[in-house]
Amino acid sequence: MDFLTLFLIYVCFVLTAVALLCICPGRKESFLARSVNGASQVLSFVIPVQLQRVTWQVLHRLFHTRSWLFVVLHVALQAAVYGEYTWEVFVYCWELQFHLLLLLLPYLLLAGNMGCFVLCSRADPGIITKSNHASLFKIYAYDGVLFQKGIVCPTCNMEKPARSKHCSLCGTCVHRFDHHCVWVNNCIGAFNAKYFFLYLLTLTAMAVTIAIITAAFLTQVVLLSDVMHGSYIDDQGQEHAVEILFLVQHLFLTFPRIVFMLGFVSLLTLVLGAYCCFNLYLAVTNQTSNEWYKSRRYGCSHQPTLQPHDRRVVYKNIYSKGIWVNLKEIFKPPTVLERKKTT
């Protein structure tokens, strides 16, 4: 095994370990995380120490410091997809007389997505300061399990309000902290959660729309060429009817960039769709990602009562007030006055 192969394996293990730490903050090490950590330690015996140090410095810079690198990557990926869509798919579909409104829909979604992206990245997520600490402190009650009274943030030197968390990347405590999103280079909290939800929704809609239009174009090409009723000769000289695999190869050789883009946006649709459904679930149950991760340590329930102290501690979501009120809280975070009216 040459040095390059060994290095690539080592980097893959390191990236997997970092991804697990990013996805599962604050939880006990899983079996997979321990396995990856053990494999990394084994590889560390054959990887030079200097290379290990540089690798961890780069990974720390990427995942544990606030930077615009992922924002630039995000914009570059969007530019690549829309460039291919504009110069090939749009032109071909226009020649095939696709409806103009359908072809323009991805651009309308892009405009809305960029607007939500700017608002989400530049808006105050709910940074807790000495001036607003007293008011934010009164909005949510402590549940006694995930959030307990009297816990002081050692960095901000202030008592943590319920549902808040200190973000190590931003160096501040955030009200109703959800997570730190590297793609918008900002924390997601009480005051920009609505922008993030709309940003994620429009981004998913963009991927779905481009995938549907591209798939419709390729389907139209196949129907017009009548290639499905043809045949081909294999390497042994035998004649076969056209199959799906041959059709995919034919389309890839004819439209390589379009087929590659379709595969990318289709995969993106599945990933974004799943994450969008997860965020919708969090919204209707009035949970944050941070609370959902922490609640995995305990038995979960959405009832607004706690178990007696003489039993095993079980987490109860006391913040859920019904689907409609929970969704309303995303777009209109409660204030101290609103809480007083409901209590």
Side-chain angles (χ1 to χ4, degrees):
M1 184 179 295
D2 59 7
F3 174 77
L4 179 60
T5 303
L6 201 60
F7 171 71
L8 291 176
I9 294 174
Y10 170 74
V11 170
C12 289
F13 273 113
V14 170
L15 287 174
T16 305
V18 173
L20 286 170
L21 292 175
C22 292
I23 294 173
C24 312
R27 288 188 290 175
K28 294 182 179 179
E29 266 192 332
S30 64
F31 172 77
L32 181 59
R34 291 196 301 269
S35 301
V36 171
N37 186 46
S40 299
Q41 291 177 358
V42 172
L43 287 174
S44 66
F45 289 108
V46 292
I47 301 296
V49 176
Q50 187 64 28
L51 184 57
Q52 295 180 42
R53 188 179 296 112
V54 172
T55 302
W56 282 111
Q57 287 176 351
V58 172
L59 293 174
H60 184 273
R61 178 69 180 174
L62 286 176
F63 295 101
H64 295 283
T65 58
R66 192 176 183 184
S67 71
W68 290 91
L69 179 61
F70 283 94
V71 175
V72 174
L73 178 61
H74 166 269
V75 174
L77 289 174
Q78 278 194 339
V81 170
Y82 271 85
E84 177 61 26
Y85 174 79
T86 302
W87 296 113
E88 290 203 272
V89 177
F90 185 92
V91 175
Y92 289 142
C93 289
W94 179 253
E95 293 177 355
L96 292 174
Q97 297 182 340
F98 277 57
H99 199 286
L100 180 60
L101 183 60
L102 176 63
L103 298 179
L104 292 178
L105 182 57
Y107 298 106
L108 298 176
L109 292 171
L110 176 63
N113 178 259
M114 292 306 296
C116 294
F117 168 78
V118 172
L119 290 172
C120 187
S121 61
R122 297 181 64 87
D124 175 17
I127 296 175
I128 302 174
T129 63
K130 292 183 179 180
S131 59
N132 64 13
H133 178 265
S135 59
L136 295 180
F137 193 83
K138 301 175 182 178
I139 293 179
Y140 292 113
Y142 292 94
D143 61 7
V145 180
L146 301 185
F147 306 103
Q148 299 182 13
K149 194 172 184 179
I151 304 298
V152 178
C153 175
T155 304
C156 301
N157 198 25
M158 291 185 294
E159 185 176 354
K160 291 183 178 180
R163 309 192 78 180
S164 68
K165 185 180 183 298
H166 183 84
C167 176
S168 58
L169 279 75
C170 297
T172 57
C173 285
V174 177
H175 174 54
R176 199 183 183 275
F177 178 86
D178 191 277
H179 71 287
H180 182 94
C181 180
V182 295
W183 298 104
V184 300
N185 197 34
N186 198 7
C187 285
I188 308 302
F191 301 148
N192 66 346
K194 54 181 176 293
Y195 302 132
F196 179 76
F197 187 79
L198 294 174
Y199 160 77
L200 186 60
L201 191 64
T202 53
L203 191 63
T204 306
M206 286 163 51
V208 171
T209 305
I210 292 179
I212 290 176
I213 294 175
T214 306
F217 159 69
L218 294 176
T219 302
Q220 191 75 356
V221 169
V222 170
L223 294 176
L224 292 175
S225 63
D226 204 28
V227 68
M228 290 299 295
H229 296 90
S231 61
Y232 69 96
I233 307 297
D234 63 12
D235 296 336
Q236 286 74 34
Q238 297 180 348
E239 185 176 1
H240 298 276
V242 173
E243 301 171 346
I244 297 297
L245 182 59
F246 175 84
L247 183 61
V248 172
Q249 293 175 345
H250 171 72
L251 290 174
F252 185 78
L253 293 174
T254 309
F255 308 102
R257 292 187 298 272
I258 294 179
V259 173
F260 181 81
M261 184 192 73
L262 176 60
F264 175 73
V265 295
S266 298
L267 178 62
L268 202 61
T269 297
L270 295 176
V271 174
L272 289 175
Y275 189 55
C276 198
C277 291
F278 174 67
N279 274 267
L280 180 60
Y281 162 75
L282 294 179
V284 298
T285 57
N286 204 331
Q287 296 183 85
T288 65
S289 298
N290 177 53
E291 293 164 4
W292 186 85
Y293 288 138
K294 286 183 175 181
S295 68
R296 299 305 96 188
R297 301 172 183 171
Y298 312 101
C300 296
S301 174
H302 300 298
Q303 300 301 319
T305 58
L306 294 175
Q307 290 284 353
H309 292 290
D310 57 346
R311 295 187 183 180
R312 183 176 62 89
V313 176
V314 177
Y315 169 67
K316 303 291 185 179
N317 182 10
I318 67 171
Y319 305 113
S320 180
K321 307 293 190 238
I323 294 178
W324 174 247
V325 177
N326 293 339
L327 287 174
K328 182 182 176 182
E329 186 170 317
I330 295 294
F331 295 92
K332 187 182 178 183
T335 62
V336 179
L337 294 177
E338 289 176 343
R339 191 195 165 196
K340 287 181 179 179
K341 291 179 181 178
T342 58
T343 57

